[in-house]
């Protein structure tokens, strides 16, 4: 299986289709980190910004539904994709402005997210070091407002540049317009299917302020050295490697579900029965629970239904142990959600986007073996 970074660029290295040519029945297995088999009815990739608007403007209704693909690290192909997969592989990192405090940088959507983090750390620009080693593309980082180790990308986004899929017209959204929340944005819901993100303008600090709020990062730093951008990146990479499976070795898409949020009343009633329940105050009398803990308590950690399995180290990560189909992984996820709902009364919401919307698959009825 290809690593997620190879996967993002896989079709650049293989025999490349001519620019802007629409490919039919295009294989998607190398382009998703679950490594499941699927194909796109039509596929087109863009290497230059200038190619996108004319392509869209010339085809207002043709090609059926459109799916935009980044690194395929937050997607589960449950079936073949009906319609056209658009794959923007636009490259470039440009400093737009800098002063003593901050730097404004435009990063094109097709850059690999972690290459951008490495470049920022190398240049002494602070703000995204805690987001080291998250797979995928820069463009997709705004879709679910990626987050890790106490930082969400919304805190460093100045604006998002996009084109409207309807007619190829250019749009710019200030961060405040994007509806960013926990693993959420307007791009993911209200505006879903309307825009292709072409670039993101980030505002990073030239005098970094370190975020060491996540206890694990502080503990890791004790073995590495004082907090610097490079040391924090190092600590986060070590932590991630110790907890999460590498998609280059075992297909996965990171956390399959979001951590659920509940009211104080629900928390208290759950804690009466389970005093050890991990929970994190959100500041608005709401509390985040650990989906991993709920899943582990239901006996799913390390369990498998065929080649679709729950990771042995982290219960929130579903993995493809070999030849699992997208539908099998989806059905496993449904069985897990059913167990958690039955035992704790808590609904799990998927973080991973299932394509096509998987509601037509079999409901989950399996029990862990
Ligand atoms: P894809 O999976 O290709 O697409 C995801 C969604 O974004 C789809 O809806 C797609 O249509 C849309 N999209 C992609 N590009 C564009 C674009 N240019 N314009 C418009 N829409 C677009 N996520 C976290 O937040 N925190 C983590 O710590 C984290 N850890 C992970 C660890 C592992 C091992 C893995 C495999 C995944 C992890 N993820 C994490 C999830 C994933 O890496 C992120 O969601 C990432 O941003 C997805 O990027 P992508 O380019 O692969 O997007
Ligand atoms: N836990 C278990 N069993 C497990 C794993 C974890 O009970 O198998 C419990 C432990 O109590 C642990 C707690 O869950 O303390 C939290 O675990 P972890 O620190 O690994 O974080 P997480 O809540 O599972 C979230 C994000 C990750 C992100 C990390 C670090 C979500 C859905 N997931 O995971 O993001 O990297 O925090 O900040 O919010 C992703 O989105 O794909 C992703 C990997």
């Amino acid at each position: 299986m290809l690593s997620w970074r190879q996967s993002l660029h896989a079709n650049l290295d293989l025999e490349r289709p001519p620019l802007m040519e629409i490919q039919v029945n295009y294989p998607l297995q190398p382009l998703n980190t679950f490594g499941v088999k699927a194909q796109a009815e039509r596929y087109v990739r863009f290497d230059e910004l200038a190619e996108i608007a004319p392509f869209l403007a010339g085809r207002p209704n043709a090609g059926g539904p459109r799916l935009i693909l980044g690194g395929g690290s937050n997607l589960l192909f449950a079936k073949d994709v009906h319609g056209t997969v658009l794959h923007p592989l636009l490259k470039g990192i440009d400093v737009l402005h800098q002063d003593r405090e901050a730097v404004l940088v435009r990063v094109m959507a097709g850059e690999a997210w972690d290459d951008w983090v490495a470049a920022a750390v190398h240049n002494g620009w602070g703000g995204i070091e805690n987001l080291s080693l998250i797979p995928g593309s820069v463009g997709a980082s705004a879709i679910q407002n990626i987050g890790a180790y106490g930082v969400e990308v919304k805190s460093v986004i100045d604006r998002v540049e996009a084109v409207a899929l309807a007619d190829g017209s250019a749009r710019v959204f200030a961060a405040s317009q994007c509806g960013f929340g926990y693993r959420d944005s307007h791009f993911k819901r209200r505006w879903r299917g309307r825009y292709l993100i072409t670039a993101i303008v980030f505002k990073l600090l030239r005098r970094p302020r370190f975020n060491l709020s996540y206890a694990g990062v502080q503990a890791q730093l004790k073995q590495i050295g004082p907090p610097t951008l490079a040391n924090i990146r190092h600590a986060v990479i070590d932590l991630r490697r110790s907890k999460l499976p590498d998609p280059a070795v075992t297909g996965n898409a990171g956390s399959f579900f979001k951590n659920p949020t509940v009211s104080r009343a629900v928390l208290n009633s759950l804690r009466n029965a389970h005093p050890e329940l991990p929970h994190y105050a959100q500041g608005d009398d709401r509390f985040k629970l650990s989906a991993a803990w709920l899943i582990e308590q239901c006996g799913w950690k390390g369990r498998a239904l065929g080649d679709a399995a729950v990771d042995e180290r982290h219960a929130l990560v579903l993995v493809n142990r070999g030849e699992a189909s997208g539908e099998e992984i989806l059905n496993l996820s449904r069985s897990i959600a059913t167990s958690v709902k039955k035992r704790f009364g808590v609904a799990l919401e998927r973080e991973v986007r299932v394509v096509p919307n998987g509601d037509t698959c079999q409901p989950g009825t399996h029990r862990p073996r």
Side-chain angles (χ1 to χ4, degrees), residues 33 67-75 88 109 134-137 139-141 143-148 183 195-197 240 244-245 247 252-254 351 353:
T33 61
L67 171 74
I68 301 160
L69 180 64
S73 65
N74 212 28
L75 286 170
I134 296 180
S137 61
S141 68
I143 301 295
Q144 71 156 3
N145 176 30
I146 57 169
R183 299 293 190 274
Y195 300 108
L196 182 153
I197 293 173
R240 295 183 68 93
L244 297 169
N252 77 90
E351 175 186 310
R353 177 174 175 191

Side-chain angles (χ1 to χ4, degrees), residues 30-324:
L31 299 180
N32 74 94
T33 61
F34 264 123
V36 298
K37 287 193 182 120
Q39 60 182 23
E41 194 176 4
R42 284 175 288 277
Y43 168 95
V44 59
R45 79 159 211 279
F46 304 101
D47 291 328
E48 303 293 337
L49 180 58
E51 296 166 356
I52 300 177
F55 178 88
L56 294 171
R59 296 170 178 78
N61 301 309
R66 266 93 56 109
L67 171 74
I68 301 160
L69 180 64
S73 65
N74 212 28
L75 286 170
L76 176 63
F77 294 118
K79 290 198 167 77
D80 288 339
V81 178
H82 166 60
T84 307
V85 167
L86 307 177
H87 201 183
L89 289 164
L90 319 175
K91 293 288 181 311
I93 300 180
D94 294 300
V95 174
L96 302 182
H97 175 78
Q98 60 181 315
D99 57 30
R100 282 158 57 97
E101 302 297 325
V103 58
L104 219 49
V105 189
R106 173 186 287 118
V107 186
M108 300 306 289
E111 290 285 350
W113 171 260
D114 194 53
D115 287 352
W116 159 229
V117 177
V121 167
H122 178 77
N123 283 292
W125 302 332
I128 51 175
E129 58 281 358
N130 293 43
L131 303 178
S132 289
L133 210 66
I134 296 180
S137 61
V138 165
S141 68
I143 301 295
Q144 71 156 3
N145 176 30
I146 57 169
Y149 301 104
V151 172
E152 289 183 327
V153 74
K154 70 174 183 182
S155 65
V156 292
I157 291 182
D158 181 77
R159 55 190 191 263
V160 176
E161 299 180 355
V163 293
L165 291 182
D167 58 7
S169 59
R171 300 291 301 267
V172 180
F173 301 99
S176 59
Q177 293 175 284
C178 295
F180 289 128
Y182 166 59
R183 299 293 190 274
D184 203 9
S185 75
H186 288 333
F187 296 105
K188 192 170 169 182
R189 291 171 190 268
R190 187 185 292 180
W191 301 338
R192 181 147 149 182
R194 284 172 60 182
Y195 300 108
L196 182 153
I197 293 173
T198 52
I200 299 181
V201 177
F202 295 92
K203 187 175 185 179
L204 300 185
L205 296 181
R206 297 187 70 207
R207 299 178 186 196
R209 287 193 288 271
F210 304 127
N211 182 327
L212 304 177
S213 59
Y214 194 94
V217 174
Q218 290 187 37
Q220 200 67 27
L221 272 176
K222 288 200 176 110
Q223 300 165 35
I224 294 174
T228 62
L229 294 178
N231 283 348
I232 292 172
R233 173 167 167 77
H234 185 164
V236 167
I237 288 174
D238 285 353
L239 266 179
R240 295 183 68 93
R241 288 199 171 129
S242 71
K243 287 184 179 203
L244 297 169
D246 178 354
V249 179
T250 310
N252 77 90
S255 302
F256 196 89
F257 300 100
K258 291 165 68 163
N259 285 323
T261 306
V262 297
S263 66
R264 183 181 291 276
V266 171
L267 175 73
N268 287 342
S269 110
L270 283 168
R271 287 189 74 201
N272 280 340
H274 311 279
E276 70 289 13
L277 176 81
H279 59 282
Y280 313 92
Q282 298 301 290
D284 51 359
D285 221 29
R286 307 271 306 163
F287 298 85
K288 206 182 259 183
L289 307 180
S290 160
W293 187 89
L294 298 171
I295 293 167
E296 185 170 346
Q297 295 304 308
C298 290
W300 284 103
K301 194 167 177 174
R303 301 289 174 146
L305 297 174
D307 272 353
V310 180
D311 188 56
E312 282 165 3
R313 284 190 299 175
H314 205 301
L316 194 44
V317 181
L318 304 196
V319 295
N320 177 3
R321 286 189 179 161
E323 296 293 321

Side-chain angles (χ1 to χ4, degrees), residues 76 256-257 291 294-301 303-306 308-310 315 318 326-344 346-348 350 354 358 361-369:
L76 176 63
F256 196 89
F257 300 100
L294 298 171
I295 293 167
E296 185 170 346
Q297 295 304 308
C298 290
W300 284 103
K301 194 167 177 174
R303 301 289 174 146
L305 297 174
V310 180
L318 304 196
E327 194 161 344
E328 285 170 327
I329 295 169
L330 179 61
N331 286 336
L332 171 64
S333 78
R334 291 203 162 129
S335 296
I336 292 168
T338 302
S339 296
V340 168
K341 179 77 180 160
K342 199 167 166 198
R343 169 119 187 249
F344 296 102
V346 174
L348 291 182
R350 282 196 295 260
V354 176
C361 294
Q362 298 294 311
T365 50
H366 301 282
R367 294 273 158 267
R369 290 197 302 253

